[in-house]
Amino acid sequence: MLYVNNNETIVAADEFAVGANSRAYLYGDGVFESIRLRNGVPLNIENHVQRLVQGAKALKMRVPIYFTPEFFEIRIRELCKKSGIREGGKCRLSLDRISGGTYAPISSEVQFFIEVSPIAENDFQLNLKGHEVDIFTDFKKNFSPISQFKTKNALVSVLGAIKAQEKQLDDMLLTNDKSQILESTNSNLFVVSNSILYTPPVADGCLAGTMRMQVINLAIKHGIRVYESSILPSNLLIADEIFLTNAVKGITWVGGYRTKRYFNSVAKRFVGLLNEHSQMEIENKLL
């Protein structure tokens, strides 16, 4: 049985219901993080909590000073243990403004919500078949003070994912009003040309993904050149590889964009580097 932690109240997941007066439910008034679990331990928790708190503050929420990585890691690990998750899994950690008010809240205090679920793989694994993608043109995502955070208003991604289903594709790539490609509906984007990595800058409007930054840091550590650079559709046509990154899946390689086909050797290498890094992280925590 799986359990959730609703602001320090632990209940069975199938018995929990979101309150009708929840501001996250009524107005999307909250932020969240998706966190990968390995051996029942949350990975990269420091960066997840840092972005979560920054996002909440950008939404003018008052975040308690004790909402630290250590505070949430203890509760996530306890929840995993109670839910029987001892290997691979994922966690969704939310901060929501407390109930009350209409568009104007009566308070900017926050509450947290943690949910966990198992996944089949303990290690990160590369998808066997490359994803097929196209560019989503119906709606744009532009830079704003909150575009880099995971807020509970994700309609552009939802509509992009629906469009991918309609076109029988695996994902769609989101753009801004300058036709610069930002990310996919659920992941950051990396383009590989001549063994050099390129990823859109946060200033273009993309999510400041925790896995995106981890891949950048791993590239620098291992002498792989990586640049934050605006990506246009024409760049996809001359690329050797394209891969997507998010905290739960790790690396997802793209096999095709329209008629263009791609390799996946760099993506494979990063999956290996990512597993090495996460194993070291777990070992350090268990010492």
Side-chain angles (χ1 to χ4, degrees):
M1 180 181 292
L2 299 179
Y3 291 85
V4 300
N5 185 331
N6 183 33
N7 210 47
E8 299 289 36
T9 299
I10 297 177
V11 298
D14 58 4
E15 296 176 2
F16 177 79
V18 176
N21 61 347
S22 163
R23 293 190 62 85
Y25 165 71
L26 292 171
Y27 307 113
D29 193 4
V31 290
F32 72 98
E33 288 289 315
S34 300
I35 305 170
R36 176 65 178 255
L37 306 172
R38 183 171 181 174
N39 295 345
V41 176
L43 297 177
N44 202 18
I45 187 69
E46 292 82 7
N47 289 327
H48 279 294
V49 173
Q50 180 183 52
R51 185 176 65 167
L52 186 75
V53 169
Q54 289 176 343
K57 289 180 177 178
L59 295 184
K60 308 299 183 183
M61 296 178 179
R62 288 199 289 270
V63 182
I65 59 173
Y66 59 84
F67 276 12
T68 63
E70 294 76 18
F71 175 89
F72 286 116
E73 178 164 357
I74 290 170
R75 284 150 181 81
I76 292 170
R77 292 176 71 166
E78 287 176 344
L79 203 59
C80 286
K81 185 176 181 179
K82 188 171 180 63
S83 298
I85 300 173
R86 294 176 175 79
E87 292 192 341
K90 60 182 178 180
C91 167
R92 180 180 167 104
L93 170 60
S94 300
L95 292 184
D96 302 324
R97 204 184 315 266
I98 63 172
S99 301
T102 53
Y103 288 119
I106 62 172
S107 172
S108 285
E109 302 298 323
V110 301
Q111 58 188 21
F112 70 85
F113 184 74
I114 306 171
E115 51 193 316
V116 295
S117 58
I119 58 177
E121 301 84 13
N122 195 33
D123 295 342
F124 291 104
Q125 294 187 9
L126 193 65
N127 47 308
L128 296 177
K129 182 179 182 296
H131 278 201
E132 299 291 326
V133 303
D134 204 343
I135 295 175
F136 184 52
T137 58
D138 296 1
F139 295 90
K140 304 292 184 179
K141 179 191 174 188
N142 292 305
F143 174 82
S144 77
I146 61 173
S147 59
Q148 63 182 300
F149 304 113
K150 299 184 78 169
T151 71
K152 293 193 172 179
N153 180 349
L155 286 177
V156 174
S157 290
V158 170
L159 293 170
I162 291 171
K163 177 66 76 170
Q165 291 175 336
E166 291 174 347
K167 299 186 69 172
Q168 297 184 317
L169 297 171
D170 296 293
D171 210 342
M172 298 294 285
L173 304 178
L174 309 183
T175 64
N176 59 23
D177 57 10
K178 297 178 182 178
S179 297
Q180 295 164 333
I181 300 172
L182 305 178
E183 59 204 15
S184 81
T185 63
N186 59 23
S187 302
N188 284 109
L189 172 75
F190 282 82
V191 172
V192 184
S193 292
N194 298 318
S195 299
I196 301 173
L197 274 59
Y198 301 90
T199 190
V202 171
D204 282 356
C206 74
L207 184 74
T210 57
M211 183 57 68
R212 169 186 178 274
M213 185 51 62
Q214 200 162 24
V215 168
I216 290 174
N217 289 336
L218 284 172
I220 293 171
K221 179 180 178 180
H222 292 274
I224 301 170
R225 286 189 290 173
V226 56
Y227 298 100
E228 293 183 272
S229 177
S230 296
I231 306 295
L232 294 171
S234 57
N235 298 121
L236 304 185
L237 296 175
I238 60 174
D240 301 315
E241 289 188 39
I242 295 175
F243 62 86
L244 308 173
T245 64
N246 70 38
V248 173
K249 293 181 180 178
I251 309 289
T252 299
W253 73 283
V254 173
Y257 160 66
R258 299 181 181 175
T259 60
K260 174 71 177 182
R261 314 311 297 173
Y262 301 103
F263 301 107
N264 64 5
S265 58
V266 175
K268 283 181 179 178
R269 182 180 181 189
F270 272 97
V271 171
L273 294 175
L274 192 58
N275 279 323
E276 290 175 8
H277 178 82
S278 63
Q279 181 61 34
M280 289 177 59
E281 181 181 347
I282 294 297
E283 290 174 356
N284 288 337
K285 287 183 177 182
L286 296 179
L287 289 177

